Amino acid sequence: MAKTKKQPRPKAETPKGFRDYFGAEVSERAEMLQKIAAVYHRYGFDALESSAVETVEALGKFLPDVDRPNEGVFAWQEADEDGKGDWLALRYDLTAPLARVYAQHRNDLPTPYRRFAMGPVWRNEKPGPGRYRQFYQCDADTVGTASMAADAEICAMLADTLEEVGIPRGDYLIRVNNRKVLNGVLESMGLAEDEERSAAVMRTIDKFDKVGEAGVRELLGKGRLDASGAYIDGVGLEENQAEVVVSFLTAKTIVEDELVNGPPQPDDRIPGGMGVTLSDPNERSEAAGKTWNQAMMDHLMRLVGKTEIGFQGLKELGEISDLLAAQGYGPDRIIIDPSVVRGLGYYTGPVFEAELTFEIFDEKGRKRQFGSVAGGGRYDDLVKRFTGQAVPATGISIGVDRLLAALREKGRIGGTDTGPVVVTVMDRDRMADYQAMVGELRQAGIRAEVYRGNPKNFGNQLKYADKRNSPVAIIEGGDEKEKGIVQIKDLVLGAKIAENATLEEWKERPSQFEVPRGDMVAKVREILDGQG
């Protein structure tokens, strides 16, 4: 008789691209979510919790590949008798579910509808260092208004949120661009009717962060060799056309120069009250006194020329800038910056990105800026998929894990959670006494537990308390019970004494206190307050 093949034991490991979170990490995230939610709520947004699972049909064209609905997302087909069940997928963001929710419940929701949502999202992408397939997002969106006041409000709220969670002013910058301005640039280059080349230019613009100015120039022209040595065909623009795109992407550097030296030529009045009329080269010194946003608007006007769509985009940027300035949000926190290019194929108007500007060291010890922690913009076509009617919408999404990593880099959070007070067990038969102690501590709002392991070896109980990072241990043996006292051990002070103190110092600073049983809670509170 053949032997039954023994099943191998499963490997105790997380799937690729996923990880486990313990103690302090979970607490820090929960605290951050609470702070972000408080800001969103203060701005008048209502909470929404939607399903983590959506139909692939509802996620729609925003999937990486609708012909292969398991590409880019975690998807599966429901079983039915005909084998034609619906395709379902874990949500890959919180915006697509919002479009479905609004379309489904629009008759019961106020207009505009302002909601915030928080939770994990899943993407079936290749994992890498710091890049996971499951991560948290915090979104806030306004659906149902085309007013730029909604976009300005999102930017202001994002600034307040970053400061609320511990990113001080000066360590972040919110950058604002507009898809319509880029459309105006393309139209001024004569590419408005050439959809194929316009799309190619858009793809090249999206590579700006990776290949830089020189790489973009090559890709807009004849092409370039990539890192592997393979040749990538370029868009084939004329040199003067490519220069317009590069001037759009490098506007930040150009404007920095103009703020010192003035613009290269006179320009027209800019919409939204942002511009300055220059009719004489002698007025260059006046131009040097403009604000960042004024100078940026003037530069962009030169790029979009007389195009209607470009003018509309600049007008929207001017309105946003004016509304923010009226609330005290200046270029030290929020600036107009055309180098915000990610997602321009998705958004229909203004786009926002929050960038942390402080420096960190990468794995090779090189200095670099931390980078983006939030992004968003106006997406007026998303709900239309369900209703057939255009519904304006704008919103922002904060990458919570990125933001937490930034705070850890700056040393503003991190470390380990303080564990519970541990009531040790000296006599198994007196468990009711120990439960009474822990109950009193909990009633006083003190985190506490009774040791649940084998109490035979008392040293193991203290080792357990140490592993739990417990601040205090309580001891009541038979002798203490008869005398009506308890021993309270300050584990934090004890650890410090053990590390550094001399014998004389140890005697002067005892870490164990004998107090009446009735004073137990008060003494524990006193020790915890001292540790804090």
Side-chain angles (χ1 to χ4, degrees):
M1 185 176 177
K3 288 185 177 180
T4 303
K5 189 174 180 180
K6 189 176 181 181
Q7 280 291 107
R9 292 176 180 171
K11 291 182 180 179
E13 61 184 18
T14 54
K16 289 181 180 179
F18 295 86
R19 59 160 296 194
D20 300 312
Y21 297 86
F22 295 91
E25 292 177 305
V26 176
S27 299
E28 287 163 359
R29 182 200 286 142
E31 184 178 350
M32 176 175 283
L33 293 175
Q34 190 175 33
K35 289 179 178 179
I36 294 173
V39 178
Y40 287 174
H41 191 264
R42 188 162 71 239
Y43 269 73
F45 288 78
D46 291 330
L48 170 68
E49 184 174 315
S50 60
S51 169
V53 176
E54 295 283 342
T55 66
V56 166
E57 182 183 28
L59 293 175
K61 67 177 183 178
F62 298 99
L63 283 169
D65 189 343
V66 294
D67 295 324
R68 295 178 297 163
N70 60 333
E71 286 290 312
V73 295
F74 291 96
W76 63 95
Q77 189 174 26
E78 281 195 306
D80 68 1
E81 294 179 358
D82 300 325
K84 296 179 180 179
D86 289 336
W87 273 92
L88 305 177
L90 290 172
R91 64 190 181 200
Y92 61 85
D93 71 3
L94 298 175
T95 308
L98 170 63
R100 190 266 305 159
V101 168
Y102 184 80
Q104 183 177 348
H105 301 284
R106 62 189 182 281
N107 293 332
D108 301 318
L109 295 173
T111 300
Y113 175 52
R114 295 150 57 81
R115 82 89 173 91
F116 71 88
M118 303 178 171
V121 298
W122 296 265
R123 297 186 184 176
N124 190 4
E125 300 172 337
K126 184 178 180 180
R131 185 182 181 91
Y132 297 102
R133 289 170 164 172
Q134 176 181 315
F135 51 94
Y136 267 72
Q137 288 186 335
C138 287
D139 285 22
D141 297 79
T142 298
V143 182
T145 177
S147 170
M148 290 298 107
D151 301 82
E153 179 183 56
I154 290 290
C155 292
M157 185 171 68
L158 180 54
D160 288 354
T161 300
L162 292 174
E163 293 184 17
E164 180 70 22
V165 301
I167 305 294
R169 204 168 301 180
D171 271 358
Y172 72 87
L173 199 57
I174 296 167
R175 304 185 295 148
V176 186
N177 194 5
N178 196 314
R179 169 66 190 270
K180 293 175 182 177
V181 176
L182 177 58
N183 289 346
V185 172
L186 294 174
E187 188 175 323
S188 72
M189 295 162 55
L191 297 179
E193 304 300 323
D194 191 338
E195 293 186 8
E196 185 175 341
R197 287 221 291 176
S198 291
V201 171
M202 288 289 295
R203 289 193 296 270
T204 303
I205 285 174
D206 275 337
K207 296 176 183 177
F208 179 62
D209 289 340
K210 294 181 180 179
V211 302
E213 179 182 341
V216 166
R217 284 184 185 276
E218 292 174 337
L219 289 172
L220 290 172
K222 295 179 180 179
R224 71 188 295 266
L225 292 173
D226 67 11
S228 67
Y231 191 80
I232 303 173
D233 290 332
V235 180
L237 298 183
E238 298 293 333
E239 188 174 338
N240 63 326
Q241 291 178 309
E243 186 61 40
V244 174
V245 178
V246 172
S247 294
F248 178 79
L249 292 174
T250 60
K252 184 177 179 181
T253 302
I254 295 171
V255 167
E256 285 173 349
D257 178 66
E258 289 184 8
L259 284 172
V260 177
N261 301 312
Q265 60 186 19
D267 63 332
D268 298 322
R269 182 77 185 176
I270 304 302
M274 301 301 299
V276 175
T277 301
L278 295 179
S279 57
D280 188 287
N282 292 329
E283 296 184 29
R284 292 165 72 88
S285 59
E286 180 183 335
K290 289 188 291 185
T291 67
W292 171 279
N293 285 346
Q294 287 171 337
M296 182 61 74
M297 294 286 284
D298 290 349
H299 173 71
L300 293 176
M301 177 59 86
R302 292 192 292 272
L303 296 180
V304 303
K306 304 297 182 181
T307 64
E308 183 177 347
I309 188 67
F311 186 86
Q312 184 181 350
L314 285 174
K315 184 178 180 181
E316 290 176 355
L317 287 177
E319 289 177 17
I320 291 171
S321 185
D322 286 350
L323 289 167
L324 288 169
Q327 300 174 70
Y329 296 88
D332 60 326
R333 288 188 276 178
I334 305 171
I335 65 169
I336 297 170
D337 184 354
S339 66
V340 182
V341 296
R342 289 188 298 177
L344 282 180
Y346 174 87
Y347 295 109
T348 58
V351 292
F352 332 113
E353 185 172 89
E355 181 183 77
L356 303 189
T357 55
F358 58 78
E359 289 184 333
I360 61 171
F361 293 94
D362 64 16
E363 62 277 2
K364 295 184 179 179
R366 297 170 299 192
K367 280 187 178 181
R368 63 177 180 86
Q369 284 194 338
F370 191 89
S372 175
V373 294
R378 181 162 285 277
Y379 51 97
D380 290 346
D381 294 335
L382 196 57
V383 179
K384 187 177 180 181
R385 296 177 50 247
F386 296 94
T387 64
Q389 299 172 332
V391 179
T394 186
I396 193 74
S397 179
I398 295 176
V400 176
D401 299 289
R402 287 275 298 165
L403 201 47
L404 285 169
L407 291 171
R408 292 188 188 106
E409 285 281 356
K410 295 294 283 184
R412 291 169 188 156
I413 60 172
T416 55
D417 264 347
T418 299
V421 171
V422 172
V423 176
T424 61
V425 176
M426 306 299 290
D427 186 344
R428 292 177 187 269
D429 296 333
R430 292 184 39 241
M431 187 58 73
D433 290 339
Y434 303 130
Q435 287 295 154
M437 290 181 189
V438 83
E440 291 175 28
L441 291 166
R442 290 168 179 166
Q443 288 296 318
I446 297 171
R447 189 181 181 207
E449 67 175 57
V450 176
Y451 180 70
R452 296 297 184 190
N454 187 343
K456 188 174 182 181
N457 187 325
F458 181 71
N460 286 343
Q461 297 194 50
L462 294 183
K463 287 180 181 178
Y464 171 81
D466 182 60
K467 203 165 189 177
R468 294 282 276 131
N469 198 35
S470 297
V472 170
I474 297 176
I475 305 164
E476 187 193 61
D479 292 342
E480 285 84 8
K481 176 68 174 175
E482 287 183 9
K483 295 177 183 178
I485 61 172
V486 292
Q487 302 286 344
I488 301 178
K489 191 172 183 65
D490 184 336
L491 299 176
V492 175
L493 178 59
K496 289 180 180 178
I497 291 174
E499 283 181 4
N500 305 311
T502 64
L503 178 60
E504 288 73 20
E505 290 172 328
W506 182 85
K507 290 178 179 178
E508 291 176 3
R509 298 176 63 195
S511 60
Q512 187 163 312
F513 309 90
E514 184 179 284
V515 300
R517 170 66 178 82
D519 295 340
M520 177 191 69
V521 172
K523 186 61 179 179
V524 169
R525 173 64 67 198
E526 178 187 325
I527 292 172
L528 294 177
D529 290 344
Q531 292 173 353

